Amino acid sequence: MSVQPVILWTDALIFALLAAVLGLVWFIRRHAHLRAPWAAVARRPMAMGAALVLTVFVVIGLLDSLHYREALPDSPPGRPQYSVEVLSVFDALVGPLRTQQEKTYSAPLAMQLYAKEFVERDGATVRDYPRLKYGGAHLKQVDERVPDIARRILVGLAQGLAASLLLFGLLAAWQARHRHMVFGKWLTAWGGGYLGWPGRTVVLTLALLFLLGSVTVHLAAAYHVFGTDKVGQDVLYISLKSIRTGLVIGTLTTLVTLPLAIMLGIAAGYFRGWVDDVIQYVYTVLNSIPGVLLIAAAVLIVQVAIEAHPDLFDTAAARADIRLLALCVIMGVTSWTGLARLLRGESLKLRTLDYVEAARAFGVSHARIISRHIFPNVFHLVLIAIVLDFSGLVLAEAVLSYVGVGVDPTMYSWGNMINGARLELAREPVVWWQLGAAFVFMFALVLAANLFADGVRDAFDPRLEGRR
């Protein structure tokens, strides 16, 4: 079946950012003074473990950013007509999770709907819990569910453990070869002979990821691991699809925040005078306006513009994507003030140092002084702010979507999941799993981002050098 590639605005920006990051990695590897702090990050066990968890989220987000449209089955061979539904490579990989849709709510790992209905049984109409169409459909009796789940968990654990042991063996063999040791001594690597704590952390984290992933795959093949929502869609699928939205909010918003914060913050501290007064006035005015109200007003304006020009957005995915991009821009414009104030204070101190005064005395231009002497000495603050603000932006999206001014309601996001769960918690019995799934995935991403941010801060902040 032929497909038509679809490049959304956020897709292009995501892969442009990925190319920039790869280029930055290549540049850092060529300079020893830039490699040193990152090597310090790599020696921190918690930072390495968190980086692996973040890598899993990033891979899912990148796969979900490769979009396409499938050709309609009844379209002419010479002139294929394509579906209006925009899918991704991730959708193709987890096809059953997307297509196996039930009637309505069902609990995690259940075989029946969550509410009773009138069903035909033995020629009579009774009120009972109907069987699910896909969840546990391979079983004949409800009593077989618990043994089947236990068997799948054990098989998943066994396969995950086998993959973990294989990974450990490869890493230990590589360490032994790297240190010119006999492979038969690879067991001593685990005892600390060749495999230090960052290496052990990598092995343990990957082992846990393999175990968790293997068990989830085996359970998801026959059940809805996190249950289904109001329209019967798999909550695990919704949670995984929401990863891309969280990553886009956290990364693209930073692209808008950084130029404003760096240029205005350094300019205010370096030039002082009327430049400093104007910039302080601007970010004081922005801070005096409630952020939620400003974002809500801007989002509503964007929504009106989208509805007024429907011909510019031919699919629902394109309309939701442009609203997501607008939300990133709006949040970036309103969240640069904190970093700018921090850079202003640091620039005020740096401009009085001897080498900066000497450069001005020799007639060096302001642009060269800022690029060669000021910015390199505040770059650690920029990097620390990036990794620290990422988790805050992910949480901000959830809050904004909860109050109805976040991403498009048709887009998968943890904020929309929490907003949808608000009414479900008032049901009897309570439908709790959609809120629980959003909490689990948000907790994992934000915790990993914060742990990695701590490692970056410890490695790059010169004020912690004495403590290290």
Side-chain angles (χ1 to χ4, degrees):
M1 178 181 294
S2 62
V3 296
Q4 180 186 51
V6 176
I7 301 178
L8 303 176
W9 280 99
T10 54
D11 296 340
L13 292 174
I14 286 173
F15 286 102
L17 178 61
L18 178 63
V21 170
L22 295 178
L24 182 62
V25 171
W26 176 81
F27 180 77
I28 290 174
R29 286 178 59 88
R30 294 172 59 88
H31 297 81
H33 70 284
L34 297 177
R35 290 199 311 268
W38 287 109
V41 175
R43 290 192 295 268
R44 299 181 181 276
M46 296 300 294
M48 290 302 298
L52 289 175
V53 177
L54 288 176
T55 301
V56 174
F57 282 97
V58 169
V59 170
I60 294 175
L62 291 177
L63 292 175
D64 202 20
S65 298
L66 298 171
H67 291 102
Y68 63 92
R69 294 163 63 182
E70 293 181 340
L72 297 175
D74 55 349
S75 59
R79 294 180 300 171
Q81 301 294 321
Y82 295 96
S83 171
V84 297
E85 184 181 13
V86 178
L87 303 176
S88 67
V89 173
F90 178 77
D91 291 326
L93 294 176
V94 295
L97 291 181
R98 179 178 65 89
T99 58
Q100 294 181 357
Q101 188 168 337
E102 305 292 349
K103 184 178 180 180
T104 184
Y105 294 112
S106 66
L109 301 175
M111 293 177 56
Q112 299 169 311
L113 290 179
Y114 199 57
K116 290 184 177 182
E117 294 182 356
F118 289 103
V119 296
E120 293 288 338
R121 185 170 298 169
D122 298 331
T125 302
V126 296
R127 187 172 176 81
D128 199 358
Y129 298 100
R131 286 284 301 268
L132 297 179
K133 185 178 180 181
Y134 298 102
H138 62 291
L139 302 178
K140 296 182 179 180
Q141 301 295 331
V142 177
D143 298 340
E144 302 175 1
R145 182 176 67 93
V146 175
D148 184 68
I149 292 175
R151 180 184 63 82
R152 290 178 179 274
I153 291 176
L154 292 176
V155 173
L157 290 175
Q159 292 186 357
L161 183 61
S164 304
L165 292 176
L166 177 62
L167 173 68
F168 168 62
L170 293 175
L171 181 58
W174 177 80
Q175 287 281 344
R177 182 178 179 181
H178 180 68
R179 297 176 181 269
H180 305 288
M181 301 299 295
V182 180
F183 176 68
K185 297 181 179 180
W186 66 275
L187 283 174
T188 59
W190 187 260
Y194 315 122
L195 194 60
W197 267 113
R200 299 182 196 180
T201 305
V202 169
V203 171
L204 289 175
T205 305
L206 287 176
L208 291 175
L209 291 175
F210 283 147
L211 291 173
L212 181 61
S214 180
V215 170
T216 303
V217 168
H218 280 81
L219 289 176
Y223 300 94
H224 301 288
V225 179
F226 285 105
T228 56
D229 63 358
K230 185 176 182 179
V231 297
Q233 197 164 21
D234 193 281
V235 174
L236 175 60
Y237 171 75
I238 299 174
S239 302
L240 292 174
K241 290 282 289 184
S242 301
I243 291 175
R244 179 184 180 273
T245 303
L247 294 177
V248 167
I249 291 288
T251 54
L252 297 189
T253 303
T254 305
L255 292 181
V256 180
T257 301
L258 286 184
L260 293 173
I262 293 173
M263 290 189 297
L264 297 179
I266 293 179
Y270 178 78
F271 292 107
R272 298 192 301 183
W274 66 269
V275 176
D276 187 17
D277 293 338
V278 170
I279 294 174
Q280 284 196 75
Y281 178 77
V282 170
Y283 66 60
T284 301
V285 171
L286 275 178
N287 284 336
S288 65
I289 303 174
V292 175
L293 295 180
L294 188 60
I295 293 173
V299 168
L300 291 176
I301 293 173
V302 172
Q303 187 66 27
V304 171
I306 293 174
E307 293 177 355
H309 303 86
D311 54 316
L312 298 178
F313 312 101
D314 55 346
T315 61
R319 291 189 291 271
D321 183 76
I322 200 65
R323 177 168 171 173
L324 175 62
L325 181 60
L327 180 63
C328 293
V329 174
I330 295 163
M331 292 179 64
V333 170
T334 58
S335 61
W336 60 270
T337 56
L339 180 57
R341 185 182 290 112
L342 186 63
L343 294 178
R344 172 186 173 273
E346 194 71 14
S347 300
L348 282 172
K349 181 184 71 175
L350 292 172
R351 75 180 306 275
T352 61
L353 297 181
D354 294 339
Y355 61 88
V356 177
E357 296 285 354
R360 277 202 299 269
F362 280 107
V364 180
S365 65
H366 295 306
R368 189 169 180 82
I369 292 175
I370 291 174
S371 62
R372 297 296 297 271
H373 300 302
I374 303 296
F375 178 70
N377 287 285
V378 300
F379 180 70
H380 69 280
L381 296 177
V382 176
L383 188 61
I384 292 169
I386 291 174
V387 292
L388 285 176
D389 292 345
F390 174 81
S391 57
L393 292 171
V394 174
L395 296 175
E397 181 275 324
V399 174
L400 292 173
S401 298
Y402 176 75
V403 298
V405 295
V407 300
D408 193 91
T410 61
M411 176 170 281
Y412 297 109
S413 76
W414 293 317
N416 284 336
M417 291 177 64
I418 296 173
N419 187 30
R422 177 178 54 181
L423 299 177
E424 296 173 357
L425 294 177
R427 288 173 53 93
E428 181 59 38
V430 175
V431 178
W432 53 267
W433 46 85
Q434 188 165 349
L435 178 63
F439 169 78
V440 168
F441 279 87
M442 285 184 61
F443 176 79
L445 179 59
V446 172
L447 179 62
N450 285 337
L451 291 177
F452 184 71
D454 289 342
V456 173
R457 181 196 60 196
D458 294 342
F460 280 85
D461 195 342
R463 293 174 296 181
L464 301 177
E465 186 65 29
R467 188 194 307 175
R468 294 196 296 269

